[in-house]
Amino acid sequence: MATLGTLPTGIPAARELLEAGSLWQLTAPLNLYSRAKGAGLATQAAAGRVLQLRDGARSGPPREPGGPARLRVRLLEDGYPGWIEPNHLLGHAVSGSRPRSQRLQRHQIEARLPAVLAAAEAARLQPNTYLWGGSLGPDFDCSGLVQTLFAGQGIWLPRDAYLQERFCEPVAVRPGATALLRPGDLIFFGTPRRCTHVALHLTGGRYLHSSGIAHGRNGIGIDDLSPHNPDPVARHYRLELRGAGRVMHCHDGSACGD
């Protein structure tokens, strides 16, 4: 049986066991926050995922009035950091072991892309709204949707759009010139300095994405890169097009920063 120190796997989470460095496998979904205080959602983790505590319940930040302080954690499938409410682990996690990353080759990923695209269409058809940090559904943010669609087929990607852009093999694209794109490629948008939005390419420059209220559809929708499309959402993202990328391998779980 795998162990972490003297703690066997499968032990229900208890506050006295929440030590820095310990590994916990979720048995229920969990919200991760972007900072030690406040309501800002960083991401969501589905049941089955494994996280590592970077603070211990007794050695972490001082307690806040009215309850225990949040603890820093890292999700191990994609290396993503965040903060959790320690009490949310109690009854919803068991001691775990480090997950094994799949070493998929490009041809194996290609074989799974039809299922990724089918899941994308199923997500679009559910009632949904845009949720910053959303990655469980039916409410997603842009990169949470993309990560979840691929993870559902055993293909782990980084969590955020700018990390996904760096992770992919670049594919040349511009409005009206989409011949090099394949179904399942990712399309990236933002400013010249930073990628801020990601979409899943379908066919012929059409892409599916979860976009917000200010410039999008407040949920999952389909737009395209045609230079003649007058739709205000399509036009906004067309003007912010940065490029595209192809998923060539799986993320190895390495830390992606804080």
Side-chain angles (χ1 to χ4, degrees):
M1 177 179 292
T3 61
L4 175 72
T6 60
L7 187 64
T9 59
I11 302 299
R15 187 161 181 82
E16 64 272 15
L17 299 178
L18 301 183
E19 298 290 346
S22 58
L23 305 181
W24 297 96
Q25 184 170 32
L26 301 177
T27 58
L30 180 71
N31 286 339
L32 277 70
Y33 298 92
S34 57
R35 54 185 61 87
K37 301 179 183 179
L41 189 63
T43 193
Q44 298 172 308
R49 294 198 64 178
V50 180
L51 60 82
Q52 183 171 38
L53 297 185
R54 303 175 67 200
D55 297 319
R58 290 177 290 185
S59 61
R63 288 174 176 265
E64 296 294 324
R70 288 177 179 168
L71 302 179
R72 292 181 304 158
V73 303
R74 193 180 301 280
L75 293 168
L76 296 188
E77 295 86 357
D78 59 3
Y80 201 69
W83 297 79
I84 65 165
E85 302 285 355
N87 287 344
H88 291 176
L89 283 183
L90 307 184
H92 300 294
V94 296
S95 54
S97 57
R98 193 171 294 274
R100 296 181 180 178
S101 59
Q102 295 196 62
R103 303 292 183 181
L104 298 178
Q105 303 298 315
R106 173 60 191 177
H107 71 276
Q108 296 170 300
I109 292 174
E110 285 181 333
R112 302 183 187 199
L113 290 179
V116 171
L117 295 165
E121 177 62 10
R124 184 182 72 87
L125 294 177
Q126 292 189 67
N128 66 88
T129 58
Y130 181 87
L131 174 63
W132 181 273
S135 56
L136 291 177
D139 302 331
F140 292 96
D141 67 16
C142 64
S143 55
L145 173 63
V146 166
Q147 186 191 52
T148 297
L149 293 173
F150 278 83
Q153 301 306 316
I155 308 165
W156 278 102
L157 307 182
R159 172 60 177 86
D160 291 340
Y162 77 97
L163 296 170
Q164 293 171 1
E165 182 185 47
R166 295 175 185 175
F167 183 76
C168 288
E169 179 179 278
V171 177
V173 64
R174 66 177 187 273
T178 60
L180 297 180
L181 288 176
R182 300 177 189 171
D185 285 348
L186 304 185
I187 304 176
F188 302 105
F189 307 86
T191 68
R193 297 185 61 183
R194 186 178 176 89
C195 175
T196 59
H197 191 69
V198 59
L200 177 70
H201 180 246
L202 304 176
T203 56
R206 296 170 63 251
Y207 59 87
L208 179 146
H209 60 142
S210 182
S211 54
I213 297 174
H215 303 293
R217 304 190 180 282
N218 192 26
I220 302 171
I222 295 176
D223 289 288
D224 66 61
L225 294 175
S226 168
H228 307 297
N229 187 342
D231 181 273
V233 175
R235 182 177 185 277
H236 170 82
Y237 286 107
R238 184 168 70 243
L239 293 174
E240 291 198 344
L241 177 65
R242 285 174 55 90
R246 185 159 297 146
V247 178
M248 303 299 293
H249 57 280
C250 291
H251 194 278
D252 61 6
S254 56
C256 63
D258 297 287

